[in-house]
Amino acid sequence: MIDIKQFAALQKQSKNSFANQRQLMKKVMAGQTVLCSTCKQPLYLLTPKQSRTSSNASTENPEKSGIRCKKGCTDIQLDFV
Ligand SMILES: [Zn+2]
């Protein structure tokens, strides 16, 4: 059983991280440099268009847009776009 306080804290946390993701996305899209909080590498915007230009790389062919760092510790999928 999860007690109600823990549950509320969890909810708050996920809401915050969603807001953070949107904030990150806005900054990256505006051309600002945002560093990954884990590896401190700059984040970049990944678009399906971009991935299609690399020929036949079926292993890494994301259908969706997202924001990633080089190492992949930040990997936000933009499902809502
Ligand atoms: Zn990273």
Side-chain angles (χ1 to χ4, degrees):
M1 281 272 272
I2 304 174
D3 86 83
I4 203 88
K5 270 187 191 168
Q6 271 184 328
F7 187 68
L10 258 172
Q11 262 192 331
K12 204 176 173 185
Q13 215 171 48
S14 68
K15 207 177 175 184
N16 274 343
S17 79
F18 184 70
N20 282 344
Q21 287 181 0
R22 287 190 57 141
Q23 203 66 34
L24 272 179
M25 188 187 71
K26 271 189 189 171
K27 284 187 182 173
V28 174
M29 281 177 156
Q32 292 182 36
T33 304
V34 185
L35 301 182
C36 171
S37 55
T38 309
C39 67
K40 310 294 179 199
Q41 298 287 310
L43 301 175
Y44 59 90
L45 192 68
L46 190 75
T47 65
K49 221 188 212 174
Q50 228 169 30
S51 65
R52 245 176 247 140
T53 55
S54 62
S55 58
N56 272 357
S58 53
T59 43
E60 221 180 317
N61 189 20
E63 298 280 310
K64 289 170 183 168
S65 303
I67 289 172
R68 291 199 55 172
C69 70
K70 265 187 184 173
K71 287 190 172 184
C73 32
T74 296
D75 188 357
I76 302 168
Q77 298 240 319
L78 306 177
D79 299 304
F80 50 87
V81 175

